[in-house]
Amino acid sequence: MNRRVAMAVLFSFLIPGLGQIYNEDFAKGMFFIVGSVAGFFFFGLGYLVLWLAAILDAYVRARMISNRQQEGKRDLEGAIPS
């Protein structure tokens, strides 16, 4: 697991939605933050479900971003003449 993925997962583990904000997905991050606060106060179990969903989403999104960045680096390396 690379650093970006690990940081996104850690942030979402600490505060649901923070990993999404780290991944620059602000609307989804705010949804998880507001939803987890509401779930904590009103539904108990709903908080746990949103918390786990936020961690999983941060992981998947960070992997996608990381893979895209790695592909871009590979494309640039092939374009530069040696």
Side-chain angles (χ1 to χ4, degrees):
M1 185 178 328
N2 70 28
R3 181 185 164 113
R4 179 176 191 84
V5 175
M7 293 300 292
V9 170
L10 175 65
F11 288 151
S12 267
F13 178 79
L14 296 174
I15 299 173
L18 197 56
Q20 285 72 19
I21 292 171
Y22 176 74
N23 287 332
E24 299 179 3
D25 197 349
F26 302 107
K28 193 183 291 184
M30 292 309 297
F31 168 78
F32 278 118
I33 289 172
V34 171
S36 64
V37 169
F40 179 75
F41 285 112
F42 298 112
F43 304 110
L45 183 61
Y47 173 77
L48 179 63
V49 170
L50 275 172
W51 181 52
L52 294 174
I55 293 170
L56 179 62
D57 180 72
Y59 170 77
V60 170
R61 180 86 169 137
R63 289 278 312 256
M64 286 175 32
I65 292 169
S66 179
N67 288 342
R68 244 184 286 139
Q69 289 174 343
Q70 291 298 325
E71 288 173 4
K73 287 180 184 177
R74 279 186 252 144
D75 290 343
L76 287 176
E77 288 172 357
I80 299 172
S82 315

